[in-house]
Amino acid sequence: MFFDFLRIAFAFFSEKMNLFITLLTTDITTFQHGIVWSGVKILYNAFLSVGITMAAILMMVNLIDSSYRLIELKKPTVIIKYFCEVTLLFILLQKTIDVLLWIYNFGAGLTRTALTAAGILTESGDQFFNISLSDEAEELYDSMGWISLDKTPLRIICIVAGIWVIIATITIMLVVYGRLFNIFILVAVSPITVACSLSSQTRRIFYSYLKTFTSVALEALVIVVALYIFKIFSASIMSEQMAGNAVIHIIGNIYVNVNPGGDSGVILDSSNVSGYLMNYLMELSFLFAVLIAAIKGSEQLVNRIFGI
């Protein structure tokens, strides 16, 4: 029963991970049948009017500021440059949403490429992300008697590990959904930040916005890579335990050398199967903690990798 709870927790994690992968690579214009995108566009159009008004105000401020420097206004290059800046700004205001979609789709394309290379995403769009307990661990647990005293602490760890897996899943869910919310919010308010690019005093706001949106768009790539590395690590725990190279080695001397025929080797001490399984579950729980830290810090990692 206790190990079944752990199996259910891992099945819940795998199911939600496939959902998260879908959310990380989804087309935001068709998300929730396009209902959310329709609402975002309503806000975008409202802020577009505000952005145009801001651009007009900044343009007047720049003209007033330039009027004190009549010598510069007499130069044709200055007038042409200013005219080009204003023209490009109003074009960008009208095309902002297309530019942002291109940036988002670029990040989603990189994420799909990584998923395909990792064998998680097929060309037909099917996803196969599955994390489960190793068969060896389940066999060892079943080999212990139901009334074995060694199973008592193991049952407690099974419950704690199962709860921890569920908490980790919910935490990752918050990060993935939070990223999607951030994308929609950034798209909605984009006209205001674009209008700030007209003035040299407020242009840094526009640059900061572009960096933030690009960082959030590329965050999906880091999350997917973290999930794949976690999958590899979790699959190798059993072999590392059997080889005596466990990262976490808390419960007694689990491994004994046996050389009946002169051949060296390391096998599991049958008298301490419970300790072996507890070490296995503890290291697995530790990996979940590392996965949460990596995913929660994905935005900062993107900034470091790409210098955004």
Side-chain angles (χ1 to χ4, degrees):
M1 180 179 67
F2 300 94
F3 222 66
D4 289 337
F5 172 71
L6 198 55
R7 293 188 188 103
I8 293 172
F10 271 84
F12 175 72
F13 174 76
S14 297
E15 178 186 353
K16 295 307 176 184
M17 287 307 104
N18 284 290
L19 172 63
F20 299 157
I21 290 172
T22 302
L23 292 176
L24 292 172
T25 58
T26 188
D27 183 359
I28 57 176
T29 61
T30 60
F31 179 71
Q32 297 284 349
H33 303 288
I35 298 175
V36 178
W37 184 249
S38 299
V40 169
K41 289 195 70 175
I42 293 174
L43 291 175
Y44 172 84
N45 291 329
F47 284 120
L48 181 60
S49 302
V50 177
I52 293 174
T53 304
M54 287 180 58
I57 295 173
L58 290 173
M59 182 176 64
M60 294 301 297
V61 171
N62 286 343
L63 285 174
I64 294 172
D65 183 60
S66 300
S67 65
Y68 292 101
R69 300 190 297 273
L70 296 176
I71 297 177
E72 290 187 5
L73 289 176
K74 293 179 181 179
K75 298 178 181 179
T77 55
V78 175
I79 298 175
I80 294 173
K81 178 184 177 183
Y82 187 73
F83 176 77
C84 291
E85 287 180 353
V86 174
T87 304
L88 288 174
L89 172 64
F90 280 95
I91 293 175
L92 184 58
L93 277 172
Q94 299 295 330
K95 298 294 183 180
T96 299
I97 200 165
D98 296 325
V99 174
L100 296 179
L101 282 176
W102 183 87
I103 295 174
Y104 174 83
N105 290 330
F106 175 75
L110 289 178
T111 305
R112 292 190 195 96
T113 301
L115 288 169
T116 303
I120 298 175
L121 184 67
T122 63
E123 294 182 358
S124 59
D126 297 328
Q127 299 170 10
F128 300 97
F129 188 91
N130 184 40
I131 298 291
S132 60
L133 295 167
S134 66
D135 296 335
E136 293 86 348
E138 297 196 15
E139 290 175 2
L140 288 172
Y141 182 85
D142 294 336
S143 67
M144 301 173 64
W146 173 253
I147 59 175
S148 173
L149 294 178
D150 290 339
K151 267 195 173 183
T152 303
L154 181 58
R155 288 165 182 162
I156 297 174
I157 291 182
C158 284
I159 295 174
V160 173
I163 295 174
W164 175 237
V165 171
I166 294 174
I167 293 174
T169 306
I170 295 173
T171 303
I172 298 172
M173 183 187 303
L174 292 175
V175 173
V176 173
Y177 271 97
R179 171 186 173 272
L180 205 55
F181 267 71
N182 289 338
I183 289 288
F184 288 130
I185 293 171
L186 289 169
V187 171
V189 303
S190 59
I192 297 177
T193 60
V194 172
C196 293
S197 65
L198 186 61
S199 174
S200 58
Q201 286 80 14
T202 58
R203 195 164 293 161
R204 66 181 183 277
I205 298 176
F206 173 65
Y207 292 151
S208 176
Y209 169 82
L210 275 182
K211 290 179 180 180
T212 301
F213 186 86
T214 305
S215 176
V216 175
L218 294 175
E219 192 178 341
L221 177 62
V222 175
I223 293 175
V224 165
V225 172
L227 288 172
Y228 179 65
I229 293 176
F230 169 79
K231 181 179 180 181
I232 297 174
F233 265 88
S234 62
S236 65
I237 293 178
M238 177 60 69
S239 59
E240 292 299 312
Q241 288 272 3
M242 296 297 290
N245 300 322
V247 175
I248 297 180
H249 189 83
I250 299 175
I251 312 298
N253 296 319
I254 297 176
Y255 303 97
V256 293
N257 291 321
V258 179
N259 300 309
D263 296 329
S264 60
V266 181
I267 65 171
L268 185 66
D269 184 358
S270 59
S271 65
N272 201 5
V273 173
S274 177
Y276 168 77
L277 289 174
M278 282 190 281
N279 274 317
Y280 168 73
L281 294 177
M282 286 178 183
E283 185 170 352
L284 203 56
S285 300
F286 172 75
L287 283 179
F288 270 101
V290 174
L291 175 64
I292 292 174
I295 290 179
K296 288 183 69 67
S298 57
E299 186 174 353
Q300 290 79 5
L301 189 57
V302 168
N303 295 337
R304 293 178 182 177
I305 294 174
F306 299 100
I308 300 175

